[in-house]
Amino acid sequence: MNILGLYGAFGFDPWEDPEQAYCHEAGASIVKDGVLVTSICEERLSKVKYDGRVPANSIQYCLKAGDLSPEEIDCVYIADCGTQVFYRFLNDTKKELKEFFINAKIEILNHHLCHASASVFTTDKNEGTFITLDGSGSIVFTENQMVGYEASSVGYFNKEKKKFRIFQSHPWSNNFGLYYITWAARIYMQKIEKQIWLCNPEYRDTYCGKIMGLAAYGKPKYDVNDFDVNDSTTPEVQMRSHPDDGKHHEVFDLLEADDRAYFLQDSFEKGLLTYLKLLKDKGYLEDNLCLSGGIFLNILANTKIVKEGIAKHIHIPPFPSDCGLHLGAALYGAYMHDENIILPKNLATLGVEYTDEQIQDTLNEQGIKYKKYDSFSDLCDEISKDLRDNKIVGWFQNKSEHGPRALGSRSLFMNAQPKENKDVLNSKVKHREHWRPFAGIILENCVEEYFEEGFKSPYMLFSQTIKKEKINSIEAICHEDQTCRIQTVNKDLHPQVNSLLEAYLKLTDSPVILNTSFNDNGQPIVETPKDAIETFLNLQVDTLAIGNYVVKKINQ
Ligand SMILES: [Fe+2]
């Protein structure tokens, strides 16, 4: 059975009125006879960051990857983006899709159910609890009256017993996503000294990560809980999400942006942990907990959830935000049709494979001089020398990552030791706000040597504290609070990066390098060899390692 999962602004323009009908991170996934073949976000193909439009390019990409024609698709599952306009044009959407996928059954799935699926069907556990928390999900109705949009959902799964259902959904409380988005946008505009009305709703997702980074510079100046708790049978935590609702103390308005960012992050974590602990105390949580929804991109909160021991095993997929919805929809379809779901070892590398021939043809088309390495370890030795010499390296290997992070398939690497490398990389290539830290990538078996927590983190979902004695050796990735968003790699999940790090360790005695996404400022991460070569040529990147080929810029 061939199942296509989709997410996007079917029936409306996501940019016409983003306050009323917002949709971002559109894309498509394909599951063929239970095997997850590929998953892609539209932005990687359209080159429009956070592209929420109908994922036309992604559909073609998936059909090609699955070697399928539209007539061969049996089911199309669309994750609901939760806007009223989506429902208004639902019949037209189904009709249009039916004209293309003439043999397919077309079905719409609940937003939070798709988020949950993306987590539940990618964990190796059979049974457990799932929690979804995001900005806003599907419309919630009570007695045919619309009461709001899903903010939180809790459910139970047992795959063998064929149980998978949401048992609590709250539209207004447990509103951690909306709380963070609302305040982050305001604080960001305050930090860059622009009025809030200039804030572009299309970029509201980027504000959250930026303000999370800024929080490390703030001080705790305002010690009060920014939420109300309803300790009832189905616990609720109400964050004060509306800056103009008058519930905040006046002193908050006087704070500098850095201190406000600290306050926001702190309140968010306190509210979230209060909610999770209430769920735990009331017996809702099983040993295995699957988390999903955009708020689980907050690596600081994720680390606290694990440290607090909210559950024995916590699973967060590498695509907790809306980019995981089409994948969740496709996996839910496979589950409903009793398919035996087969996933790749590395849950993040879900793009298509590009061959040596494709890469070489693209290099030749661009008229670029390159060196081909017959031995990948020789290539890694050469790249290690460049990294040691503080060169900026573009790294294009393996299938592209699904999700917002560059996890060693489409990355820019640099030596993590000299503190100034952060500024060098920022001034030459990334042009990001100065307060934002760079992430790192480390051999898995060295993580305990460098970090207090020592978590394995193959999908970069946690922040970890750098051990005091190691700070000097990785200053370029040490944040203001001595933490780092670190990814751990091993041979099994990340063979190419693992080889590079082993070669780098041998050469420099360090198992860590700086890792950031391979993209131009404001652009999505590169997808194809052509994207990578063009971006390499446009940016001040010194070396490109693409498949078995190395390209170097001279005199830079
Ligand atoms: Fe969502």
Side-chain angles (χ1 to χ4, degrees), residues 148-159:
Y149 297 94
E150 294 169 322
S152 70
S153 293
V154 183
Y156 170 78
F157 69 94
N158 185 318
K159 297 176 203 169

Side-chain angles (χ1 to χ4, degrees), residues 232-243:
S232 63
T233 319
T234 58
E236 294 174 67
V237 171
Q238 178 84 47
M239 303 301 293
R240 294 171 184 168
S241 61
H242 299 290

Side-chain angles (χ1 to χ4, degrees), residues 339-384:
E339 298 275 2
N340 179 27
I341 295 175
I342 298 169
L343 304 167
K345 261 195 236 168
N346 186 326
L347 291 173
T349 45
L350 300 179
V352 300
E353 194 103 56
Y354 296 96
T355 62
D356 266 4
E357 201 183 352
Q358 284 171 302
I359 293 170
Q360 191 168 320
D361 284 351
T362 317
L363 287 164
N364 287 335
E365 276 164 25
Q366 301 275 349
I368 293 171
K369 280 192 182 155
Y370 55 82
K371 182 172 176 186
K372 184 174 183 190
Y373 285 80
D374 293 326
S375 147
F376 197 71
S377 77
D378 287 350
L379 179 147
C380 290
D381 287 342
E382 181 58 29
I383 297 299
S384 294

Side-chain angles (χ1 to χ4, degrees), residues 1 38 49 61 157 257 282 488:
M1 175 166 275
T38 197
K49 191 102 171 138
Y61 182 97
F157 69 94
K282 289 177 188 297
T488 58

Side-chain angles (χ1 to χ4, degrees), residues 120 175 266:
V120 163
N175 52 332
D266 188 54

Side-chain angles (χ1 to χ4, degrees), residues 307-339:
K307 279 182 166 179
E308 285 284 340
I310 294 296
K312 226 180 201 172
H313 304 284
I314 292 174
H315 172 68
I316 310 173
F319 28 75
S321 62
D322 283 3
C323 68
L325 288 168
H326 47 91
L327 179 53
L331 294 177
Y332 182 77
Y335 161 77
M336 287 305 284
H337 288 280
D338 293 322
E339 298 275 2

